[in-house]
Amino acid sequence: MTPSTTLWCVRTVELLLRNRRFRVHMGDDVSSWRRRVNGLPQGSVLAPTLFNLYINNLPATLSRRFIYADDICCPFKAETFSEIECNLTADLAHLAKYCQYWRLKPSTSKTVTSVFHLHNITSRRELNVQMNGHRLRHDPRQVYLGVTLDQTLSYREHLTRTAAKLNSRNNLITKLAGTSCGCLC
């Protein structure tokens, strides 16, 4: 990039983040306006890109990482559960230290563990993985980016939910098509 292009990009981002204000509505009560001095605008199309640039230098981990906006998935494959627990806890310690340095706050209440295993009895085992001194909650049916992942990765629950949504929407379209306002003729 040329210096003028770089300057244009910096000024554009600065305009996005400058003079932001918010207020809270609770019932009929409204708070006074407050200035927003950190974070990115919720719902902005540029926010995920800026966040990805901000965390571009995440530390190396033993687990792989799948990142979409501010959702990070750290899958790890091993022969034993103790190896998984040890490595994931170490990886999360590295990531937590990085987050602390860059003033990010990972949520231990939203961070969960899951096990995917073909042996059904073993797949029910809950992992003992720690982050910032807290044991992470185990969720056998984790939803990641809108897809429900079950223990055997059969996607049965996800497909059932998707079919129910489609059925509901098809019923709505069928009802609308039978009325004068829903007819596209």
Side-chain angles (χ1 to χ4, degrees):
M1 272 199 285
T2 65
S4 62
T5 305
T6 303
L7 184 58
W8 178 85
C9 287
V10 169
R11 285 190 177 154
T12 301
V13 170
E14 182 183 23
L15 286 173
L16 174 74
L17 301 177
R18 185 189 309 156
N19 297 327
R20 294 184 300 138
R21 302 181 320 153
F22 72 96
R23 63 182 177 178
V24 177
H25 295 260
M26 290 184 70
D28 294 334
D29 296 328
V30 180
S31 72
S32 59
W33 285 100
R34 308 269 187 203
R35 293 182 64 79
R36 179 73 188 202
V37 294
N38 61 0
L40 294 167
Q42 189 76 22
S44 163
V45 295
L46 192 54
T49 302
L50 291 174
F51 184 76
N52 284 335
L53 289 171
Y54 190 70
I55 65 164
N56 188 43
N57 63 339
L58 280 172
T61 56
L62 295 171
S63 58
R64 296 185 63 183
R65 290 189 310 248
F66 301 110
I67 303 171
Y68 181 79
D70 63 346
D71 286 333
I72 301 174
C73 177
C74 298
F76 188 81
K77 178 182 173 183
E79 294 292 323
T80 65
F81 286 103
S82 60
E83 185 181 354
I84 293 170
E85 292 167 339
C86 181
N87 286 320
L88 284 178
T89 298
D91 284 352
L92 291 174
H94 290 303
L95 292 173
K97 187 175 179 182
Y98 171 89
C99 288
Q100 182 180 6
Y101 180 81
W102 290 106
R103 298 180 184 194
L104 297 169
K105 294 181 181 177
S107 172
T108 54
S109 65
K110 292 181 181 179
T111 306
V112 298
T113 64
S114 293
V115 175
F116 305 107
H117 202 291
L118 293 176
H119 192 255
N120 284 338
I121 295 171
T122 311
S123 66
R124 298 190 194 287
R125 185 181 186 282
E126 293 189 12
L127 294 175
N128 181 14
V129 177
Q130 306 277 322
M131 184 170 83
N132 291 334
H134 300 282
R135 181 178 178 176
L136 298 179
R137 182 175 52 87
H138 182 80
D139 187 353
R141 288 177 194 84
Q142 175 59 23
V143 177
Y144 184 67
L145 301 179
V147 177
T148 304
L149 305 169
D150 58 71
Q151 296 168 339
T152 60
L153 294 178
S154 69
Y155 303 101
R156 183 177 297 127
E157 186 174 337
H158 180 73
L159 294 172
T160 302
R161 285 184 184 180
T162 303
K165 282 183 191 177
L166 285 171
N167 200 15
S168 171
R169 291 177 184 158
N170 281 340
N171 288 339
L172 180 62
I173 290 170
T174 302
K175 288 177 184 176
L176 288 174
T179 65
S180 60
C181 66
C183 183
L184 300 174
C185 302

